[in-house]
Amino acid sequence: MPAPLTTAAVSAAPQTSPGASPRAVLSLLTSLFFTWGFITVINNTLLPHLRSVFDLNYTQTTLIESVWFIAYFFASIPSARLIERIGYQKSMVFGLGMMAVGALLMIPAARLPSYGVTLCALFVIACGITLLQVSANPYVAVLGSPETASSRLNLVQAFNSLGATLAPLFGAYLILGRSASGTAEAGHVLTQAEKLADAQAVQLPYLIVAGVLVILALVISRFPMPKMHHGATSRVSDAEREKLSLWKHRNLVFGIPAIFIYLIAEIGVANLFINFTGQPEIGGLSHEQGAHYLFLLWGGMLIGRFVGAWAMNKTTAERVLAFCAIGAFIVMMIAALGTGSVAMWALISVGLFHSVMFPTIFTLGIKGLGPMTEEGAGLLIMAIAGGALVVVQGWLADTVGLQLSFLLTAACELYVLFYALWGSKATNAFPEQKAV
């Protein structure tokens, strides 16, 4: 049974002050989701590029992405505290500024060139994205009817997928297409001069990214966004808060590992996709050609999120999530055990099934948390650090082979299915209230 809702707890439920209409705010926030989706997926074209430049094995290559996701672990709770101090809007602006600084750090990293400075630059960018995730995801979730929260978040996450879909084309043209490693035939060994030239090929793309981030930060800083108030959550109702526990909410308790495990699956597929398509028994493609097929993988996520947003207005979010988990498991088994174009297209199609997983798990995870919504959201975003364990798949790829390493991804899909069928059922839920 839901716990009794005290006066203090009711006042702590998210409320808004006057500002632009929810439709206008959502339209603006789609630019944030687009931006961090775009920048995150640039890594998928950057990683095979850096692998050639620094002569990295699969474990070292996936360690780059692990550093990216470790930032979510360290930055999530500080991000939640920063939001409490300066509010959602200023936090979004701060996050964009941090990302711009990290993008600019990629320029000296390329000039040196330095593997260590590259890791530091990507860590800074990821910290900025973490702040955007902690602020924008719950903001969208409460900006309207609780019943349509999953549909709404899937809709704006579709623009995250749009950014992710376009990023491989951007990376293929400005990074892989302008480098020896990107255009060379499989097995070509780069000379030292080619490695130096390839390292410097990332300067222009990240300079463009930094400029766009600064412009977006200026736009958001001047936009009349409604301010979300959490009443007396942290100041007036300290005594009441001590009586509440996040760990009594089953949907959150199982939702945190669901996000963690799902990210292992999504990031493992995205990071190793280009190398997978280059395997002689799969596609034998160059890195540049593989990046164009990666475009289709993220395109599937884009289509899936629009379809998912529509489907969740017709049936429950839990059913849609369960269907996608089953589909993802089937195609990953085909990718891990099949050969040729069948295996390659199976891996491409997993994007369609992965599409709704993150936003749906997130909204199911914070459902019914009431005055603890912000804290729960911070923990769910922290769980994105699960992407750091992609290094485990990198180790598996070095140990048992790249293709068989995707059996790990198939196992991850089974936990998502468990969450959809049982773990997502809310317990001790507070009554949901419409924020606007």
Side-chain angles (χ1 to χ4, degrees), residues 421-435:
L421 296 178
W422 187 83
S424 62
K425 307 303 180 185
T427 55
N428 296 296
F430 288 97
E432 299 282 0
Q433 295 188 6
K434 185 177 177 179

Side-chain angles (χ1 to χ4, degrees), residues 28-233:
L28 176 64
L29 291 182
T30 57
S31 64
L32 285 184
F33 285 83
F34 176 93
T35 300
W36 83 59
F38 185 92
I39 293 175
T40 298
V41 176
I42 286 180
N43 283 358
N44 301 153
T45 54
L46 186 65
L47 293 186
H49 173 78
L50 294 178
R51 184 170 186 265
S52 298
V53 170
F54 294 112
D55 292 322
L56 308 177
N57 59 29
Y58 285 122
T59 303
Q60 293 169 319
T61 302
T62 50
L63 180 60
I64 297 173
E65 194 75 344
S66 293
V67 167
W68 177 274
F69 285 96
I70 285 170
Y72 282 91
F73 180 82
F74 287 105
S76 290
I77 297 304
S79 293
R81 297 189 185 281
L82 180 64
I83 293 168
E84 290 178 1
R85 293 179 66 88
I86 68 176
Y88 284 95
Q89 184 170 5
K90 290 182 179 178
S91 294
M92 293 176 195
V93 173
F94 190 87
L96 287 165
M98 186 180 300
M99 291 166 64
V101 170
L104 291 174
L105 282 175
M106 287 294 290
I107 296 176
R111 284 185 175 276
L112 290 173
S114 170
Y115 179 66
V117 177
T118 298
L119 293 180
C120 290
L122 293 175
F123 183 84
V124 172
I125 296 172
C127 286
I129 290 180
T130 302
L131 181 51
L132 291 184
Q133 292 262 27
V134 176
S135 54
N137 279 296
Y139 192 98
V140 170
V142 301
L143 196 67
S145 169
E147 290 76 17
T148 57
S150 289
S151 175
R152 191 164 51 251
L153 194 54
N154 267 285
L155 182 60
V156 294
Q157 283 278 354
F159 289 89
N160 178 274
S161 295
L162 177 60
T165 302
L166 296 178
L169 299 181
F170 178 86
Y173 179 71
L174 287 180
I175 298 177
L176 298 180
R178 298 170 60 242
S179 65
S181 64
T183 56
E185 296 294 330
H188 174 72
V189 179
L190 300 183
T191 66
Q192 198 59 39
E194 287 175 327
K195 290 179 181 179
L196 181 61
D198 279 10
Q200 296 180 353
V202 305
Q203 292 180 94
L204 177 61
Y206 278 95
L207 183 61
I208 294 172
V209 166
V212 171
L213 290 170
V214 170
I215 293 171
L216 185 56
L218 291 173
V219 171
I220 291 180
S221 68
R222 296 177 177 274
F223 196 82
M225 294 175 63
K227 294 182 179 179
M228 295 292 176
H229 299 299
H230 292 268
T233 299

Side-chain angles (χ1 to χ4, degrees), residues 325-345:
I326 293 171
F329 174 76
I330 292 172
V331 298
M332 286 312 306
M333 290 299 293
I334 296 172
L337 303 176
T339 57
S341 60
V342 172
M344 186 175 77
W345 283 102

Side-chain angles (χ1 to χ4, degrees), residues 245-321:
S245 172
L246 287 168
W247 310 115
K248 294 181 180 180
H249 297 264
R250 181 170 72 185
N251 52 310
L252 177 68
V253 171
F254 289 102
I256 292 170
I259 291 283
F260 189 94
I261 290 169
Y262 162 68
L263 260 294
I264 296 174
E266 179 188 307
I267 302 307
V269 169
N271 283 2
L272 297 175
F273 179 88
I274 292 177
N275 293 113
F276 180 80
T277 61
Q279 300 290 299
E281 66 274 16
I282 302 299
L285 305 179
S286 70
H287 288 170
E288 183 183 13
Q289 292 170 325
H292 286 88
Y293 281 93
L294 182 62
F295 165 81
L296 297 177
L297 172 73
W298 291 109
M301 292 194 75
L302 170 64
I303 295 170
R305 281 177 173 164
F306 280 118
V307 174
W310 170 82
M312 288 176 198
N313 287 317
K314 305 294 182 180
T315 187
T316 65
E318 293 89 341
R319 288 179 180 174
V320 175
L321 183 61

